[in-house]
Amino acid sequence: MARTRNRIKHHAGTALWHGTLAVVLLALCGAVGHAATLPDGLTEQQIDDVVSRTQQAFQVPGVAVGVIHDGKIVFAKGYGRKAEDEKSGKVDATTLFAIGSNSKEFTATALATLVDEGKLKWTDRVSDVMPEFRVADPWITREFRVSDLLTHHSGMGLGAGDLMLFSHSTFTRKDVLAALPYMPFTGRFRADYAYNNLLYVVAGALVEKISGQTWEQYVQTHLIDAAALPACQSTFPVKGQTDVAAGQGSDGVLPDRSARKSVAMAPAGGVWCSVNGMNRWVQTLMNGGQTVDGRKIISLAQRDALWAPHALLPLPDSATKTQSHFRAYGYGWFMEDFFGLKRVWHTGTVSGMVSYVSMLPEKNTGLVVLTNHDDHHATYSIALTMSSLIATGKTEDWVSYWQDDVKKAEEKAAKEASTTGPGSPARPFISLPVSDLKDYVGLYHDAWRGDIRLSLKDNALVMSFSKANGLSGTLSALPHDLFVAKWQDRANDASDDSYVQFERDTSGKVTGFHMQVVGSDFSFDAQDMHPLKVSDQ
């Protein structure tokens, strides 16, 4: 999933008009029949209860939930408020949420439309279609197929290149393509699974190359508008849009329309959508790629290609509780056996919000969960509770299960921090004189991430990144040229505090450094960098 941390043509008016229409239609249908039309095993009261428990357990300000059954949208409801601010308005079925990595489905589907049109094959070599595409290994460059962009089996490491997409990055898609040849391969091509956002950005660039439109324009016109997804857009919301959720750590301030820029990461996590919009999206996919009023978005054959297992994944710890024996990745979707049924699903995390889509095709049922809190345990609690009830009529206490998971992780992290972590009694920070700190000052350059500057400010060593508005931190010293970078934006970047290990040559001169995140945020892929010192100034 993309992590916490847009475009040429804006379609908010269309999205908001559809949102208004959806509210009218829901009002005409009324609340009557919600319980009657929900799938067997699931009631509105059960949904309300699990949402309420989840909000309390994980301090989630707002939630939106949708259910699709037997080809119809049977449930769409908002809970709580739009932001952490107690005075923010209430969430409703038209409130826009950032859906994060559930945007990958839009990118994969965009490619599927091009396959349907005969402009592309899944087996095409990427370099044949996009000659500027190159990776570190020449053989892999030649063999890399369109399908390899989508299955997380490239051989790149977990979260490789995410520092070009998140953490205040201002990289463009052109910048990403230029840096791609310098990304290290740490696994086996088409063999080792490692979740990757970077190649979905490349997939978005491929859509642009073939269509002649920006990714944002193509997704908006060919998918969102074509399927009439209410309150849904391929671009970041702007000032004047009022029914918008704000994620954890966000001030909720929206940019002026004139100041909005295309962001590199959008094909991996840039769509914003309401539960009404996501309901209709799921309804269309479950209907074989065709809307309820007969408009074909993609063919059934291509919908099935998206939902086919293309790469095997390891099973999670929870597999025994869901009777799951395999897990795989298709094109933009996870899939697994779930109490003897096929389940197709995906999550998304970005901008302090988390989303979850889960479908049980054999039950003709799908569901959507959107939240404005940066904690996947909350969405997992709601989605797995509802999916279990739909599949079997009963459920584990998933709220308690994920609460226990959080508690164990926090206890483990606290123990490590107090015993062996930086600044602990076993590894106390040390004070270095300014004369020693001057050894590290200068400009460093990494082949793919670019320039990183080390400077002295108020007798402290400060690190700042190029092409990143606000990624800056103060370094605290440990013995042996080892430091810890504490990022200044604590609300968004505290979990990314990182070790910085400087290197010296045989004369004792500092020549470069390596980094490693102190915590476990895979999207802060500092370990993939090796900046070399290019100047002492």
Side-chain angles (χ1 to χ4, degrees), residues 463-480:
M463 173 181 285
S464 57
F465 282 72
S466 65
K467 294 186 179 179
N469 295 327
L471 184 58
S472 177
T474 302
L475 273 61
S476 300
L478 291 163
H480 311 301

Side-chain angles (χ1 to χ4, degrees), residues 354-374:
V354 186
S355 65
Y356 200 124
V357 175
S358 175
M359 292 174 283
L360 296 167
E362 291 150 299
K363 290 285 188 176
N364 296 316
T365 303
L367 62 91
V368 176
V369 182
L370 308 176
T371 69
N372 58 358
H373 186 66
D374 190 12

